[in-house]
Amino acid sequence: MKQVNVGLLGLGNVGKGTYTILTKHADKISGMSGSQIDVKKILVSDVNKKRDIDVPKEILTTDAESILCDPDIDVIVELIGGIDTAYFYIKQAILRGKHVVTANKAVIATHGPELMDLAKKNRVLLLHEASVAGGIPIITAMLKPLAGNEFTEIIGIVNGTTNYILTQMTENNMEYDTALRLAQEKGFAEADPTSDVEGEDAAYKLCILMLIAFGVYVDPKDIPCEGITKIAKADIDFASQFGYKLKLLAGAKNTNGRLKYYVSPTLVAESHPLASVNNEFNALFVKGDAVGELMFYGKGAGPMPTGSAVVGDIISVAKCIGTDLLDVTPAQPYPVTEDDLELIGESKSMFYINFLVGDEPGSLGKVSTAFGNHGISIQSVMQRSQGEAAVPVIYILHETKRKQLDEALKEITDNNFVQEITSILRVLS
Ligand code: HSE
């Protein structure tokens, strides 16, 4: 049987999950891959650290070079996270003719096109299924069984931390800070949750999804991105009275060659399949011109779900080694130029606006007229007064450009038609 040797960079959560799956299912994996797959070396920061996993100490090393230069190692599995060091290791591995598997969304979103090109030139595979939505096999699905489609839309709940927080706010009556603390206690949120709650993690994943689905590279920094730190429980409650759930969405839509994309807290109609994706779960809602609508659902993080995707990639690599399959296995989709697809970022959207309005004659009329003056059509309005001097008034607006909305809001605030704009949220349409 063919021998395939793996060098694992990192033995954190995902490293442990990957190692556990490779050893636990060794027989099945060798049957599926036609190879004996062995982890030959593992890069760790401290060989003597006490670990809750049974790994032979002699395969642990703190010397990355001893793995990257080992001629017997066929596949480098990068699981250290972060950008610069991971990028360096991946590049070194490719240049030395080794296949690479990584779970690292930040490095693929930041350097993906360059690394994919380099892999192609060096006739090695660079697979990264685990970089988006952990255990959900969305990348392979788009590159293989769905490859015959033109994708028109992809909308993801791709961050489990924020989905857990928003679910707790919705279902268990918590404000943001309490829900974040609970997420940290349960191990869903990091001690420093910034990348998750500010939407950066989701932007990395959307960048990779757009590369695969639409063949375009948009720098994650150029993706319009808003996190969930300013979300108030009151807005989640008001929105539910209109039949919406609040989700952090990472979306991209191709309308006649114009691609819009965003990461944003967004109200989703309760009838939409994404509305029922709760807690730490992830989901991808995809529209292809041939297949129609599809939804993928599962765990987007954690040692075993992420390890599941990493091991799947290792098996794919093992199957290719020693064959000419490298010629037909896509390293990346067809490249698209801006002549084919115009990158417009933000575009029209429906909006939810929460105003604090003085409870006096004509208030609502003036606000509504201001929207009309800017060509904005109102879908629904709700005022909840219990006799206070100022009351929340919620507007749901039909699709409009953000610029038009901002002009209308300027007219409304300049003329003191409202006391405050409490919040503005996008509505999925
Ligand atoms: N921090 C991510 C999440 C998982 O909360 O979904 C890793 O990308």
Side-chain angles (χ1 to χ4, degrees):
M1 187 180 279
K2 186 165 69 184
Q3 175 71 36
V4 172
N5 291 323
V6 171
L8 211 58
L9 307 182
L11 193 56
N13 281 333
V14 181
K16 281 189 234 170
T18 301
Y19 187 83
T20 302
I21 298 167
L22 282 173
T23 45
K24 185 172 163 202
H25 297 311
D27 288 346
K28 182 188 177 198
I29 290 170
S30 63
M32 294 287 294
S33 63
S35 317
Q36 172 67 36
I37 299 178
D38 288 327
V39 177
K40 194 170 174 225
K41 287 180 185 160
I42 306 179
L43 179 70
V44 292
S45 52
D46 177 0
V47 170
N48 296 313
K49 183 174 148 185
K50 201 164 164 27
R51 296 188 161 79
D52 54 0
I53 181 171
D54 196 13
V55 181
K57 202 171 165 192
E58 60 276 14
I59 68 171
L60 302 181
T61 175
T62 54
D63 178 12
E65 280 298 296
S66 75
I67 302 181
L68 295 166
C69 292
D70 185 335
D72 291 338
I73 288 183
D74 310 283
V75 191
I76 296 293
V77 178
E78 183 280 305
L79 303 173
I80 60 171
I83 300 185
D84 294 342
T85 308
Y87 167 69
F88 177 76
Y89 290 161
I90 291 173
K91 203 165 168 178
Q92 290 306 308
I94 293 171
L95 290 171
R96 288 167 188 171
K98 299 188 189 306
H99 305 284
V100 174
V101 172
T102 178
N104 190 327
K105 71 234 151 192
V107 89
I108 296 297
T110 312
H111 297 289
E114 178 206 337
L115 291 172
M116 287 171 183
D117 264 357
L118 196 65
K120 214 170 189 174
K121 284 195 189 102
N122 285 274
R123 295 191 50 74
V124 294
L125 291 169
L126 167 58
L127 301 186
H128 54 93
E129 180 58 71
S131 64
V132 177
I136 302 177
I138 182 65
I139 293 175
T140 307
M142 290 198 293
L143 285 176
K144 290 189 174 169
L146 299 175
N149 286 264
E150 287 281 353
F151 296 104
T152 50
E153 188 163 17
I154 175 151
I155 314 172
I157 294 175
V158 290
N159 183 271
T161 303
T162 47
N163 203 39
Y164 183 83
I165 293 171
L166 292 176
T167 304
Q168 293 305 314
M169 290 175 76
T170 306
E171 296 190 346
N172 293 327
N173 208 26
M174 289 180 196
E175 281 296 349
Y176 171 78
D177 289 338
T178 318
L180 170 60
R181 269 198 303 279
L182 181 66
Q184 285 170 323
E185 276 163 32
K186 297 242 176 200
F188 294 129
E190 311 263 346
D192 176 2
T194 313
S195 179
D196 291 315
V197 298
E198 295 293 359
E200 181 193 52
D201 175 86
Y204 285 146
K205 292 166 180 168
L206 181 62
C207 162
I208 299 170
L209 289 169
M210 288 197 286
L211 194 58
I212 305 295
F214 301 109
V216 291
Y217 177 71
V218 179
D219 189 314
K221 292 190 195 75
D222 295 332
I223 295 176
C225 178
E226 198 184 320
I228 64 162
T229 53
K230 295 190 190 76
I231 299 296
K233 163 87 182 123
D235 285 314
I236 292 179
D237 292 344
F238 285 135
S240 96
Q241 294 177 44
F242 286 95
Y244 292 106
K245 289 267 183 72
L246 186 67
K247 298 287 170 195
L248 182 72
L249 297 188
K253 186 173 185 176
N254 176 3
T255 311
N256 303 322
R258 303 181 84 223
L259 189 68
K260 82 164 182 182
Y261 40 89
Y262 59 90
V263 170
S264 168
T266 306
L267 295 175
V268 179
E270 276 161 10
S271 55
H272 193 288
L274 286 170
S276 54
V277 176
N278 286 324
N279 288 312
E280 74 275 27
F281 280 86
N282 283 197
L284 281 309
F285 180 79
V286 178
K287 284 187 195 169
D289 64 344
V291 73
E293 293 180 355
L294 286 172
M295 182 142 126
F296 298 77
Y297 170 87
K299 286 194 177 158
M304 296 303 269
T306 312
S308 161
V310 172
V311 171
D313 278 350
I314 296 172
I315 293 172
S316 297
V317 170
K319 279 178 162 173
C320 286
I321 289 176
T323 74
D324 58 7
L325 273 179
L326 274 182
D327 291 332
V328 292
T329 304
Q332 64 184 99
Y334 60 95
V336 168
T337 69
E338 286 195 26
D339 293 340
D340 299 315
L341 204 53
E342 192 187 348
L343 307 179
I344 58 167
E346 280 186 292
S347 148
K348 283 185 172 179
S349 173
M350 284 177 66
F351 286 96
Y352 159 109
I353 318 282
N354 178 354
F355 293 115
L356 192 63
V357 180
D359 196 358
E360 54 205 40
S363 297
L364 279 194
K366 288 175 196 161
V367 173
S368 303
T369 302
F371 282 133
N373 290 343
H374 293 270
I376 298 172
S377 176
I378 297 162
Q379 192 211 57
S380 324
V381 190
M382 178 177 75
Q383 176 180 316
R384 281 288 146 97
S385 170
Q386 290 171 330
E388 310 91 326
V391 293
V393 177
I394 316 297
Y395 280 79
I396 307 275
L397 306 174
H398 282 296
E399 280 202 333
T400 180
K401 286 193 176 143
R402 180 67 203 232
K403 187 165 172 285
Q404 242 168 315
L405 174 65
D406 287 340
E407 283 163 8
L409 293 176
K410 185 169 183 320
E411 181 180 329
I412 289 165
T413 47
D414 283 355
N415 290 291
N416 298 319
F417 293 161
V418 301
Q419 295 189 3
E420 190 183 316
I421 302 171
T422 312
S423 46
I424 303 173
L425 294 168
R426 285 172 184 276
V427 179
L428 185 66
S429 53

